[in-house]
Amino acid sequence: MVDFVALTGSIKTAFDLARSAKDVNDQARANVAVIGIMEQLMEVQSQLSSTQVEYQALLEEVSRLKSELDDKRRFDSYRLERAPMGGYILTLKAGCVTEDCPPHSICPRCKEDGRLSVLTDTEYRFDCPACPFVAGKKPRPPRNQRRVVHSGFM
């Protein structure tokens, strides 16, 4: 981090050199004073440049952190709910349901990865379209086995 005390000191030194140079009648001493002022101003410029780079990096970090916070907040509208057959899903809270955001559930696995994946809600289960997550709602009926029809002839 740039030391603002040092930066202020460099500016003050440049100002003092400029003030002393105005009263100098000797050209050689005036040239030395001008060179000193130029050196101090270059130091100030370098420190300001470093400050600008650090400021930009801090702005980017703040932006990244705000984005992470917003990503986490979008899951605040959901509550963990047990599916009828024992799995867990995240369901939109009743107070968050609107015309633009109807009742739905999202995948808890995808949430852990920061993704908001709406579950497909079928008669028998909840399926995640983004990962292999499944939560059962009710058992499927047994499949009909082929019936052997006896015609009475052998």
Side-chain angles (χ1 to χ4, degrees):
M1 188 102 183
V2 171
D3 184 2
F4 286 102
V5 174
L7 183 62
T8 304
S10 294
I11 293 171
K12 184 180 180 327
T13 301
F15 181 73
D16 290 344
L17 285 170
R19 189 179 327 162
S20 67
K22 74 175 178 108
D23 297 329
V24 174
N25 291 330
D26 180 0
Q27 186 62 41
R29 286 179 45 203
N31 288 344
V32 168
V34 168
I35 290 171
I37 292 169
M38 297 300 286
E39 287 172 352
Q40 288 300 313
L41 291 176
M42 286 191 302
E43 178 65 26
V44 168
Q45 183 179 13
S46 173
Q47 289 178 359
L48 285 174
S49 179
S50 294
T51 301
Q52 185 176 14
V53 168
E54 287 179 26
Y55 176 74
Q56 187 62 39
L58 288 173
L59 283 178
E60 289 170 6
E61 178 72 4
V62 165
S63 178
R64 184 187 65 77
L65 290 171
K66 280 183 178 180
S67 178
E68 277 183 26
L69 191 57
D70 288 344
D71 284 348
K72 288 180 181 177
R73 279 190 190 139
R74 69 185 174 152
F75 295 110
D76 289 347
S77 301
Y78 296 88
R79 68 181 183 85
L80 191 62
E81 182 178 295
R82 188 176 175 108
M85 292 191 60
Y88 286 92
I89 58 175
L90 291 163
T91 303
L92 186 65
K93 294 175 184 174
C96 299
V97 172
T98 65
E99 187 175 308
D100 293 333
C101 190
H104 64 277
S105 299
I106 63 171
C107 176
R109 246 189 232 170
C110 288
K111 182 229 179 219
E112 294 304 314
D113 294 334
R115 291 188 315 255
L116 197 148
S117 299
V118 177
L119 294 173
T120 302
D121 187 351
T122 68
E123 183 179 357
Y124 298 104
R125 63 190 202 177
F126 296 97
D127 292 298
C128 181
C131 79
F133 177 81
V134 174
K137 290 170 74 175
K138 66 181 183 180
R140 289 186 181 268
R143 290 187 172 177
N144 291 336
Q145 295 179 357
R146 285 187 158 176
R147 292 185 185 173
V148 177
V149 178
H150 296 284
S151 63
F153 295 102
M154 290 212 179

